[in-house]
Amino acid sequence: MAQAYWQCYPWLVLLCACAWSYPEPKYLGREDVRNCSTSPERLPVTAVNTTMRLAALRQQMETWNLSAYIIPDTDAHMSEYIGKPDKRREWISGFTGSAGTAVVTMGKAAVWTDSRYWTQAERQMDCNWELHKEVSISSIVAWILAEVPDGQNVGFDPFLFSVDSWKNYDQGFQDSSRHLLSVTTNLVDVAWGSERPPVPSQPIYALPKEFTGSTWQEKVSAVRSYMVHHAKTPTGVLLSALDETACEWGFLNMGRSGSPKLPGPCNIQLFLKQQHIHQLLRAPKIIVCGNSEGKRAAVWGYRTRKPGSSKQVGLFNLRSSDIPYNPFFYSYALLTDSSIRLFVNKSRFSLETLQYLNTNCTLPMCVQLEDYSQVRDSVKAYASGDVKILIGVSYTTYGVYEVIPKEKLVTDTYSPVMLIKAVKNSKEQALLKSSHVRDAVAVIQYLVWLEKNVPKGTVDEFSGAEYIDELRRNENFSSGPSFETISASGLNAALAHYSPTKELHRKLSSDEMYLVDSGGQYWDGTTDITRTVHWGTPTAFQKEAYTRVLMGNIDLSRLVFPAATSGRVVEAFARRALWEVGLNYGHGTGHGIGNFLCVHEWPVGFQYNNIAMAKGMFTSIEPGYYHDGEFGIRLEDVALVVEAKTKYPGDYLTFELVSFVPYDRNLIDVRLLSPEQLQYLNRYYQTVRENVGPELQRRQLLEEFAWLERHTEPLSARAPHIISWTSLWVASALAILSWSS
């Protein structure tokens, strides 16, 4: 998925799904559609009445002696996606965009957001709100200084401010007589009252060891070793990001969202106590097998893939889905040289999971559970001793930072867990590759379905997005999509982060380009892939733009570079073919990706604040081009960083693609490709055949196998050769019969 430089995954402009759109430059200088100064009664029907909400908040501000209150758009863990209880700025303002900051004073209210959301904000906010078309903290501070009298207090929830954000606000107010006041009680929550969505309470379960690269005990030992060898020898590490405490390498191999689709049949491997069976059978989407006594149980099991071999698969069938598209649960962890404290809602654990965590002891490898709300007090108490606490400032909030004495604080940009999990071990690499093979099957099924149904006029952007999500859910070990599917036809694809809705979408047409950016969460990996296609006759410019985007993808994917090179140093290779003819794209070129965790996994990628590339990292490579009001192109693959084979000895790296879906031959102008690019592309197609072909054959997917054979035929400098469907059908049938025998 393409990331904006500010690292947000946006909710799209409300009306961009129609047959027209507002290109960003045209926003500048355009009048507010609300006409609040002349006709406030003629608001768009989509505007939300916030009068009572603001009154309730201002009552709380008066109680706390505040003249202004700042409301960011994040949660206490600086998450990219936030749960419903954390959508405070959305509730108070009515504006649902994913990026923006609100400020409320006793007489005014304002929202700051970027150009992606200006129209959306105008159509969702009532006339209680001003819209500021910029996002800098300095502009927010300047407005507050103009509205708040000298000597007054400006309040904020410290758990919603990163350390860096707090420093920027604090610096802005330093030369004024206004006081920036940390208020640990969130005043929006108080005003929201009983209407605020409840905090998630689903059970938290342990991920089976078959889907983890290391045990949690091994991971704890690795972090403690990091502490010992750190230059400032911290005695403890505070982990705040949810993918630090909840994810695959994060900390405890726990907290996956949704029940995966498991293959069957399965054999009984673990018999649960009867009372636990009854509890599990009440859970939705449970997988059950029959045991020898005819009883039903949720179990570990085996599934035979082919004669003579088996792979153990597991289902502990406890779920956690606190954050959309991410298998996380709200938590913090404080790991010291002699203890492990996990701050979480204790009631969400089963007896089995408590045993898994060794919670019944106090030894260095036993997890002590403490209430989630006690993290601030517990960190403060620990900091009162002879200790030094290491934090990664990128994901630590001021709420815990401010209780640690500065002389006892050790700060790095990222925590050791973030750095360690960025490099996958051999088992994690194999797991993630396996998930991409199954994911490729789903994407190929979708593309075949589109080829048959788009000409009939029966597919729209929304139905297409729903169908590809359904195909992924049918895959083994699936836990749903990894983000909201971007399904964009024609001019909507020119909006890099567009997603359709049930109410607002366009029909797919054989006469337009279509972009689909989608991904899945599987127990063995997270996927993210983008393909752009055209079923009719593309223009010469569309083919050139597509081919140059492909050239950029190839140039970066095949690049050989010295180990420890930063991604931002090589990022321009993905843009060079576009730059040569005066084209470009306005989003990042790639991001890290996790093993059944974040689809945008930091700190890997090609931006200025990403860490250097190292063997074992996974990153997306996703150049694009967006022609305003007409079409958009993006080609995204996930790649593994591997050692490069060079003529002379040296420590060099390159990329190995693990996305296995061919590009659209109809859009490739082979004449633009260099011999090296063409050779690389044909080698990639052979890899796709070798990895996905057998899986399609095993499943008896004749039509999809024929499609794969057709679309991975070697390309030559001449016009691409397309063999007939009939010959492909016969060839695929023979191949399957041969495989079956």
Side-chain angles (χ1 to χ4, degrees):
M1 184 196 339
Q3 284 185 296
Y5 286 117
W6 42 85
Q7 293 301 312
C8 290
Y9 175 76
W11 192 96
L12 271 298
V13 175
L14 196 61
L15 292 181
C16 64
C18 300
W20 47 270
S21 65
Y22 289 115
E24 287 186 6
K26 296 181 182 178
Y27 287 145
L28 298 174
R30 182 173 55 80
E31 291 186 2
D32 193 319
V33 299
R34 295 175 295 173
N35 296 316
C36 288
S37 59
T38 57
S39 304
E41 72 283 355
R42 298 178 60 185
L43 286 171
V45 294
T46 49
V48 177
N49 188 333
T50 61
T51 300
M52 297 301 294
R53 299 176 184 183
L54 286 168
L57 176 59
R58 284 169 175 144
Q59 184 178 358
Q60 294 301 317
M61 291 167 57
E62 189 173 6
T63 300
W64 286 86
N65 192 28
L66 301 176
S67 295
Y69 191 65
I70 305 172
I71 308 160
D73 59 353
T74 188
D75 64 11
H77 306 275
M78 303 290 106
S79 302
E80 179 180 10
Y81 298 93
I82 60 175
K84 291 181 180 179
D86 292 312
K87 294 185 177 181
R88 300 175 176 91
R89 193 224 55 228
E90 176 180 323
W91 178 80
I92 194 65
S93 68
F95 167 52
T96 62
S98 68
T101 300
V103 178
V104 177
T105 68
M106 299 308 290
K108 291 185 178 181
V111 161
W112 285 256
T113 191
D114 64 74
S115 60
R116 295 170 296 164
Y117 302 113
W118 292 346
T119 295
Q120 179 181 337
E122 290 172 355
R123 294 183 178 276
Q124 291 181 323
M125 297 192 305
D126 64 12
C127 288
N128 287 308
W129 291 87
E130 299 177 6
L131 174 60
H132 293 263
K133 299 178 179 181
E134 51 189 327
V135 294
S136 67
I137 290 177
S138 60
S139 67
I140 298 174
V141 170
W143 185 85
I144 294 174
L145 291 176
E147 298 296 331
V148 174
D150 290 345
Q152 299 298 301
N153 296 323
V154 177
F156 71 100
D157 181 345
F159 285 99
L160 301 183
F161 272 50
S162 69
V163 174
D164 286 342
S165 292
W166 170 79
K167 288 181 178 178
N168 288 331
Y169 277 103
D170 185 60
Q171 183 178 6
F173 288 113
Q174 274 183 358
D175 295 331
S176 74
S177 57
R178 288 79 167 176
H179 310 293
L180 190 60
L181 188 63
S182 171
V183 181
T184 56
T185 299
N186 190 282
L187 304 190
V188 174
D189 291 353
V190 178
W192 206 342
S194 60
E195 294 182 1
R196 183 182 179 227
V199 175
S201 59
Q202 298 96 328
I204 299 168
Y205 64 88
L207 188 69
K209 64 181 180 180
E210 288 75 17
F211 297 97
T212 65
S214 307
T215 67
W216 69 260
Q217 291 92 339
E218 291 170 335
K219 297 172 183 180
V220 167
S221 296
V223 175
R224 283 176 172 158
S225 176
Y226 182 98
M227 292 160 54
V228 169
H229 293 94
H230 193 283
K232 297 184 179 179
T233 59
T235 61
V237 177
L238 177 64
L239 305 176
S240 298
L242 297 184
D243 60 338
E244 291 178 318
T245 58
C247 292
E248 169 71 39
W249 224 114
F251 193 49
L252 296 173
N253 297 332
M254 298 166 54
R256 314 309 185 176
S257 66
S259 299
K261 180 183 184 297
L262 291 179
C266 56
N267 301 323
I268 298 300
Q269 183 73 10
L270 175 68
F271 293 90
L272 303 178
K273 294 181 180 179
Q274 191 65 37
Q275 62 267 32
H276 299 146
I277 294 175
H278 291 322
Q279 181 181 7
L280 287 170
L281 290 178
R282 291 195 295 268
K285 295 178 67 178
I286 190 168
I287 307 299
V288 295
C289 305
N291 62 24
S292 59
E293 300 175 358
K295 297 178 181 178
R296 303 171 76 208
V299 300
W300 300 82
Y302 285 103
R303 175 242 188 184
T304 301
R305 293 185 176 270
K306 56 184 178 181
S309 68
S310 64
K311 177 181 175 72
Q312 190 177 35
V313 298
L315 175 68
F316 204 74
N317 210 37
L318 299 176
R319 312 173 44 178
S320 186
S321 54
D322 297 7
I323 304 294
Y325 307 113
N326 291 278
F328 304 154
F329 58 95
Y330 292 117
S331 58
Y332 295 90
L334 179 60
L335 171 60
T336 76
D337 48 13
S338 60
S339 67
I340 308 166
R341 304 185 203 181
L342 182 62
F343 301 89
V344 67
N345 181 349
K346 303 177 187 179
S347 65
R348 301 175 65 179
F349 292 97
S350 69
L351 294 177
E352 288 82 3
T353 308
L354 293 174
Q355 183 178 6
Y356 164 79
L357 295 175
N358 299 334
T359 60
N360 58 348
C361 64
T362 57
L363 297 175
M365 280 296 177
C366 301
V367 178
Q368 303 168 32
L369 298 182
E370 297 191 26
D371 191 78
Y372 176 81
S373 63
Q374 296 302 307
V375 63
R376 180 180 167 102
D377 292 339
S378 187
V379 170
K380 184 177 181 179
Y382 176 73
S384 65
D386 184 17
V387 299
K388 286 186 287 185
I389 304 174
L390 172 62
I391 65 169
V393 294
S394 294
Y395 289 92
T396 302
T397 67
Y398 186 68
V400 287
Y401 173 87
E402 69 174 332
V403 300
I404 304 174
K406 300 304 174 284
E407 67 274 11
K408 299 182 178 183
L409 191 64
V410 178
T411 60
D412 285 339
T413 303
Y414 301 107
S415 77
V417 170
M418 282 287 187
L419 299 176
I420 294 172
K421 75 180 177 67
V423 178
K424 276 61 174 173
N425 63 30
S426 58
K427 183 179 178 181
E428 291 165 335
Q429 293 174 28
L431 286 168
L432 207 148
K433 288 181 181 179
S434 295
S435 71
H436 277 77
V437 172
R438 297 194 310 280
D439 194 74
V441 171
V443 177
I444 289 171
Q445 286 179 300
Y446 180 60
L447 293 174
V448 171
W449 178 79
L450 288 176
E451 280 191 8
K452 293 190 299 183
N453 290 282
V454 169
K456 301 176 184 177
T458 58
V459 184
D460 60 54
E461 295 168 330
F462 186 74
S463 66
E466 284 194 318
Y467 188 61
I468 194 171
D469 289 348
E470 178 187 346
L471 289 170
R472 281 197 170 92
R473 288 190 181 96
N474 291 334
E475 290 295 320
N476 291 339
F477 317 129
S478 172
S479 190
S482 56
F483 58 93
E484 184 180 17
T485 295
I486 297 172
S487 172
S489 178
L491 56 85
N492 284 342
L495 302 167
H497 298 92
Y498 166 84
S499 288
T501 67
K502 187 175 182 179
E503 296 77 21
L504 297 168
H505 51 257
R506 300 181 77 242
K507 277 287 183 76
L508 271 60
S509 169
S510 298
D511 299 324
E512 292 184 327
M513 298 182 81
Y514 172 68
L515 184 155
V516 57
D517 185 348
S518 61
Q521 289 284 15
Y522 305 93
W523 274 27
D524 49 351
T526 302
T527 68
D528 183 4
I529 185 171
T530 307
R531 289 296 182 262
T532 306
V533 296
H534 196 303
W535 300 285
T537 304
T539 67
F541 176 60
Q542 288 174 334
K543 290 189 68 170
E544 179 182 4
Y546 182 97
T547 305
R548 289 188 177 278
V549 170
L550 175 60
M551 291 164 66
N553 185 302
I554 292 173
D555 286 347
L556 185 53
S557 298
R558 64 185 291 269
L559 183 68
V560 175
F561 53 93
T565 297
S566 173
R568 62 183 173 82
V569 174
V570 300
E571 190 258 10
F573 282 88
R575 301 177 185 268
R576 182 174 60 181
L578 291 166
W579 284 355
E580 287 175 347
V581 292
L583 304 179
N584 202 359
Y585 55 93
H587 56 70
T589 294
H591 54 80
I593 195 162
N595 280 69
F596 190 27
L597 40 86
C598 299
V599 71
H600 291 161
E601 183 180 77
W602 278 76
V604 178
F606 296 94
Q607 301 191 44
Y608 74 94
N609 51 353
N610 292 137
I611 60 177
M613 291 289 176
K615 177 184 175 183
M617 291 180 174
F618 283 86
T619 180
S620 70
I621 295 175
E622 48 184 304
Y625 172 70
Y626 308 91
H627 197 69
D628 188 30
E630 293 189 24
F631 64 88
I633 301 164
R634 186 160 62 253
L635 297 175
E636 175 184 17
D637 296 299
V638 172
L640 169 65
V641 181
V642 297
E643 290 182 2
K645 296 178 181 179
T646 55
K647 181 178 180 179
Y648 302 105
D651 194 5
Y652 287 84
L653 302 173
T654 189
F655 297 106
E656 173 192 325
L657 296 189
V658 299
S659 299
F660 302 116
V661 178
Y663 310 109
D664 187 4
R665 302 169 76 90
N666 189 36
L667 283 165
I668 300 175
D669 186 345
V670 182
R671 297 169 299 177
L672 293 176
L673 300 178
S674 69
E676 294 79 14
Q677 291 167 337
L678 186 60
Q679 183 183 44
Y680 177 91
L681 181 58
N682 286 330
R683 282 202 309 266
Y684 171 66
Y685 278 172
Q686 182 62 31
T687 301
V688 171
R689 283 190 174 199
E690 293 171 355
N691 282 275
V692 184
E695 183 69 9
L696 294 172
Q697 291 175 316
R698 186 186 67 79
R699 300 192 197 183
Q700 302 285 306
L701 295 172
L702 271 172
E703 190 174 9
E704 287 77 8
F705 181 76
W707 184 95
L708 179 69
E709 291 283 288
R710 174 173 173 251
H711 283 263
T712 55
E713 276 291 306
L715 292 165
S716 66
R718 300 184 302 275
H721 175 64
I722 305 295
I723 64 177
S724 71
W725 271 101
T726 302
S727 61
L728 281 172
W729 194 271
V730 172
S732 60
L734 291 173
I736 290 175
L737 289 173
S738 173
W739 180 87
S740 300
S741 62

